[in-house]
Amino acid sequence: MVAESDSAHRPALPAAARTAVRPAQRTSRAGRLRPTAGLLVGILTLAALILTPVNGLSAAQAQAPRTAVGTATTAADSVGITISGTNSSELSPGQDLLLTVAVQNNTDAAIPIGRVDVYLADLALTTRAALESWLRPDADANSGDQMLSVPTTQAIPAGANTNLSITVPAASLGLTDQNAWGARGVAAILTVDDVVRSEGRGTFVWSPGSATTPVRLASIMPITTPESATGLITAKALESYTSSVGLLSRQLDSVIDLPTMAIAIDPQIIASIRVLGSKAPASAVAWLDRLATASNDIFPLGYADADISLQAQAGASTLRAPTSFAQAIDPSLFVVPSNTPVPETTSDVPSVTSRTSIQTTPAPTPTPGPTVTPGETVIPTTSDLLAWNYTSTTIGWPSAGQVASTDLDVFAASGLTTTILSSGNVEQSDVFTPNTAVTLPTGLGLVSDSALSSAIRAAADATTDHDWRVSMSEAASLLAIVSAENPNSARTLLATFDRSSPTPANRVEQTMAAVAGLSWADAVSLQAAQESTPATTVTFQNEAIDSGRVTLARSLLDREGAVADFATILADPIVVTAPQRLDLLALLDTSWNVQSSAWSDHVAASLASSFDLMHAVTVTTRGPIIVVGSQVDLRITLNNALEQAVTVRTEVVPSNGRLVVGDTLETIIQPNSAQAVSVPLSAAVGNGDVVLRVTLFTLNGTPLGQPAPIDVTVRADWEGVGASIFAILVVGFFGFGIWRNIISRRREHSAEASAGENAAGQLTVTPDV
């Protein structure tokens, strides 16, 4: 006989939530017939049984919420079985239970004809723990009471799947209006030649007509793109993502105008489309216009969906955001067309209030917008490219289960006063499921229900109708359990869709419509979740990201700071710092969480690239150099490999006192060129070797790389020796000249004297006649 309640899995509940005794009218798992009305049950079972292999379900059935959920995904080289209901999530007294059992043969051999036994759990599933234990049981878990056994009609080939439609008559089910409303478990066991090959489990919701307290459910869908190492999405990628079958189009299709589905948008998508100006793909512009018309509440993620917890734990005091897109803007793409009408008065400040506030608060008087002239070039600012009419800009969504207590201070300092947490980041002291809202030291927390979110995500991602019903019934059962836990207090929960790996969910609208159609659930807005009463039995549970990941992120943040210091030498630093910031944010994307190896490679490449950037201005002069004399000017060559001019200070420090160096020099080096600077040197003490360490600095004193050593040999006394030799040479030269003059004069005088004597000796006297 079925017990009154599951005391091992649930606390004492109000009378309305307790399970009544179930009539003993079925066969036990061992196959023995219960003494009461056993024969009648067998006759009714055979008469009502429908066993028909089916390949699919009708569209109407696909739209119906599931009533059962199966076990986990079947492993390779095994046989799997899943069970789900094929009609409404609710089963009322007198109704037959319609089930679909799917068998997956993942082995290399065919499964012979056998039988499928269907069981009903002994106990009602009145707690979340009981539901989890039922759906994912231990190996020796009890499957409950057998309701019927049906043969399979044919062998199942290797690698094939087969669906069986089974009807459990209401009489075999054995539930009456005396049994309490709530989730019930069913199981299907495949047996071949008396050997159990596989077991699958599911649930349905028993509804004898009693009143329920609906669970209020808010939901959030992220719209993001796959991870990248650069901070802007290319035009080619945008064209692909926004095509009719592209990722972004399918994401938006799944949620647009679902009034209770909030959208968390990556601002990188908006900026990447707008920065292309007139070259933006037409499909991307249309996609952006369509998003602007959506009635959903919309709030921004971090740019490039950068993980805000990773930034905080890596040492950021405030969260990083783009600084400029100027380097990516082509002015020729922002020329006002000649047919552009002059805009009327508008307000160019995007609203950050809720749409409810917009509807109830009188609009402010619009301010005149800028007047544009056809043919004029209008360059958008950073705020222009990022502006959007968000419902709120104060919501932060870190990676699930990775938020530390110190992160909350960083979030608050960055203007994020509401933090979306996962169930792993909180600790609950009450047995009942609490509201999503929780009070944090720095503001409000919204706790996403991890189990419910997983079930809804699986339903939205389902590729077949049966898989959708399997996951949807788990979500329905979870909501039923929360509804019945404490009927006197309605709960507000939050479900979030996955953002670790952006994929288009095919059945979001179908899934959310099914949830909204449950009598024990009401879909509400994110704002309603924020306004719900904060849970008093929930406390923040400190979590931390893997230390290796934090170390790499810290190296990226440190390097960005170093690049910012380096960029002060540039005429326009933003050309370097802005793309560095965008690429940093792209590398902090939450999507990298599941690709640790690839992420490490991209981080290493980024660090190597920035290292090369910061070493693009160098000292090219190398030694050895011989310095002769006490006062000389040393010419040092500086090289700039960047595309714009830089201004640096050159500082030369000798390794010893043989040389005294003059003041530091401020030098402008033109793009892609070299510049020689003269450094005054003075010999101080004797001769010898000196190493001059030449360091380049920014104007604010930040060193640029390591000092460049120049070997110098000092020969200061060679100047005196050289002067003496020169003086001797000069004196000798002039002395030799004087000596030559004297000798020449003496020779001249001697020659004149000799000539006079000869003239006197030749004089003749003539006699008188």
Side-chain angles (χ1 to χ4, degrees):
M1 182 168 293
V2 177
E4 174 73 11
S5 64
D6 188 353
S7 59
H9 293 292
R10 68 176 176 88
L13 295 175
R18 294 177 188 159
T19 305
V21 177
R22 196 166 33 137
Q25 294 184 349
R26 34 189 178 278
T27 308
S28 69
R29 185 174 181 180
R32 294 190 298 271
L33 195 63
R34 295 282 176 96
T36 56
L39 181 60
L40 177 60
V41 170
I43 295 173
L44 290 173
T45 299
L46 292 175
L49 177 63
I50 299 175
L51 176 59
T52 308
V54 295
N55 296 323
L57 298 170
S58 67
Q61 290 172 323
Q63 293 295 331
R66 287 179 300 176
T67 59
V69 64
T71 55
T73 303
T74 306
D77 300 326
S78 64
V79 177
I81 187 170
T82 54
I83 180 172
S84 71
T86 55
N87 55 7
S88 173
S89 298
E90 293 183 85
L91 186 67
S92 301
Q95 290 183 331
D96 295 339
L97 177 60
L98 305 181
L99 299 173
T100 297
V101 175
V103 180
Q104 305 91 38
N105 182 9
N106 294 329
T107 67
D108 295 329
I111 300 175
I113 293 176
R115 73 175 189 273
V116 173
D117 300 325
V118 180
Y119 294 82
L120 181 69
D122 287 333
L123 306 172
L125 305 176
T126 57
T127 68
R128 297 168 68 107
L131 177 65
E132 178 66 19
S133 296
W134 173 257
L135 293 177
R136 285 162 273 274
D138 296 332
D140 298 330
N142 180 18
S143 298
D145 293 333
Q146 183 175 346
M147 294 185 290
L148 54 83
S149 178
V150 296
T152 58
T153 57
Q154 59 187 13
I156 304 173
N161 301 335
T162 297
N163 288 356
L164 306 174
S165 291
I166 297 177
T167 297
V168 179
S172 298
L173 190 65
L175 296 177
T176 71
D177 54 7
Q178 299 301 309
N179 295 99
W181 175 88
R184 298 276 175 167
V186 290
I189 298 178
L190 174 65
T191 303
V192 178
D193 296 332
D194 294 328
V195 176
V196 174
R197 299 297 303 271
S198 186
E199 177 179 359
R201 295 191 171 196
T203 62
F204 65 92
V205 177
W206 177 248
S207 179
S210 54
T212 61
T213 303
V215 178
R216 306 168 76 234
L217 179 64
S219 54
I220 303 174
M221 170 65 77
I223 293 184
T224 60
T225 55
E227 67 286 340
S228 172
T230 57
L232 283 170
I233 307 171
T234 65
K236 183 177 181 181
L238 285 171
E239 186 173 19
S240 173
Y241 292 153
T242 58
S243 67
S244 59
V245 294
L247 172 66
L248 290 176
S249 292
R250 294 170 66 187
Q251 287 180 341
L252 186 57
D253 289 345
S254 67
V255 298
I256 190 168
D257 294 333
L258 291 181
T260 57
M261 175 74 77
I263 294 176
I265 184 73
D266 179 0
Q268 180 190 39
I269 301 170
I270 299 172
S272 296
I273 296 173
R274 288 174 171 170
V275 79
L276 293 172
S278 58
K279 286 189 65 176
S283 62
V285 175
W287 183 91
L288 199 60
D289 290 341
R290 188 170 174 228
L291 178 66
T293 65
S295 60
N296 309 67
D297 286 347
I298 302 177
F299 69 91
L301 297 166
Y303 187 90
D305 196 16
D307 190 344
I308 59 178
S309 277
L310 183 58
Q311 295 180 59
Q313 294 178 38
S317 57
T318 56
L319 302 176
R320 299 293 194 263
T323 55
S324 177
F325 296 92
Q327 76 286 347
I329 294 177
D330 181 355
S332 67
L333 304 179
F334 293 90
V335 177
V336 180
S338 57
N339 59 349
T340 300
V342 176
E344 298 178 359
T345 57
T346 58
S347 175
D348 58 354
V349 180
S351 171
V352 295
T353 59
S354 69
R355 285 183 171 79
T356 301
S357 298
I358 292 175
Q359 293 170 358
T360 58
T361 304
T365 302
T367 57
T371 301
V372 295
T373 304
E376 178 186 1
T377 299
V378 180
I379 303 298
T381 64
T382 299
S383 59
D384 291 336
L385 297 175
L386 293 172
W388 196 260
N389 186 27
Y390 291 116
T391 306
S392 173
T393 57
T394 62
I395 300 175
W397 190 1
S399 290
Q402 297 184 347
V403 184
S405 57
T406 53
D407 300 350
L408 300 176
D409 295 328
V410 178
F411 301 165
S414 306
L416 303 180
T417 56
T418 298
T419 303
I420 298 173
L421 303 170
S422 67
S423 300
N425 250 138
V426 297
E427 186 174 8
Q428 180 187 348
S429 60
D430 197 350
V431 294
F432 296 134
T433 302
N435 278 339
T436 178
V438 59
T439 301
L440 299 176
T442 57
L444 180 68
L446 294 178
V447 182
S448 171
D449 192 304
S450 297
L452 181 59
S453 295
S454 295
I456 290 178
R457 291 174 190 177
D461 291 335
T463 56
T464 67
D465 292 340
H466 175 73
D467 290 341
W468 180 82
R469 292 194 304 272
V470 165
S471 298
M472 189 59 225
S473 63
E474 181 176 359
S477 296
L478 266 169
L479 290 167
I481 289 172
V482 174
S483 173
E485 279 179 340
N486 188 0
N488 297 323
S489 177
R491 301 297 176 180
T492 302
L493 303 185
L494 173 66
T496 57
F497 285 83
D498 189 23
R499 56 199 264 254
S500 60
S501 180
T503 55
N506 299 318
R507 297 175 181 255
V508 175
E509 185 175 3
Q510 177 185 0
T511 300
M512 300 314 297
V515 170
L518 299 174
S519 62
W520 54 91
D522 285 336
V524 298
S525 67
L526 181 61
Q527 185 174 349
Q530 291 177 279
E531 295 171 350
S532 64
T533 304
T536 57
T537 60
V538 175
T539 56
F540 180 83
Q541 182 71 23
N542 194 58
E543 295 289 346
I545 301 173
D546 176 74
S547 60
R549 185 173 178 80
V550 172
T551 299
L552 286 178
R554 184 178 295 114
S555 67
L556 288 173
L557 293 177
D558 291 344
R559 179 56 58 84
E560 190 207 18
V563 170
D565 290 336
F566 164 82
T568 59
I569 69 175
L570 300 170
D572 187 10
I574 203 72
V575 173
V576 167
T577 59
Q580 179 75 20
R581 171 62 61 82
L582 294 179
D583 292 350
L584 165 70
L585 293 171
L587 285 174
L588 297 178
D589 190 336
T590 57
S591 297
W592 288 113
N593 290 351
V594 295
Q595 302 187 57
S596 57
S597 178
W599 183 66
S600 298
D601 293 341
H602 282 289
V603 171
S606 175
L607 294 175
S609 176
S610 58
F611 179 87
D612 293 341
L613 169 68
M614 294 190 298
H615 290 77
V617 181
T618 57
V619 178
T620 58
T621 300
R622 297 290 183 266
I625 296 174
I626 298 177
V627 173
V628 178
S630 59
Q631 299 283 339
V632 297
D633 285 340
L634 176 64
R635 291 180 66 81
I636 298 175
T637 303
L638 310 179
N639 185 68
N640 174 21
L642 299 175
E643 298 295 330
Q644 60 174 306
V646 300
T647 303
V648 297
R649 287 196 301 112
T650 307
E651 182 179 274
V652 182
V653 178
S655 61
N656 55 52
R658 291 188 176 94
L659 284 178
V660 176
V661 181
D663 295 335
T664 58
L665 305 173
E666 184 176 311
T667 307
I668 298 177
I669 313 174
Q670 296 303 315
N672 295 311
S673 63
Q675 177 72 42
V677 296
S678 295
V679 180
L681 303 177
S682 299
V685 180
N687 302 322
D689 294 331
V690 180
V691 177
L692 296 179
R693 291 181 174 82
V694 183
T695 306
L696 300 181
F697 289 86
T698 66
L699 297 184
N700 61 10
T702 302
L704 302 175
Q706 298 297 317
I710 301 177
D711 295 327
V712 176
T713 299
V714 180
R715 291 292 180 263
D717 55 351
W718 284 16
E719 184 180 28
V721 173
S724 299
I725 294 174
F726 180 75
I728 292 172
L729 291 175
V730 171
V731 171
F733 177 77
F734 283 106
F736 178 72
I738 293 172
W739 178 77
R740 286 188 62 189
N741 271 341
I742 293 174
I743 296 300
S744 177
R745 293 293 179 88
R746 286 180 177 178
R747 287 178 179 174
E748 290 177 359
H749 286 307
S750 176
E752 290 176 357
S754 297
E757 289 177 357
N758 292 336
Q762 293 176 359
L763 183 60
T764 303
V765 179
T766 305
D768 294 333
V769 180

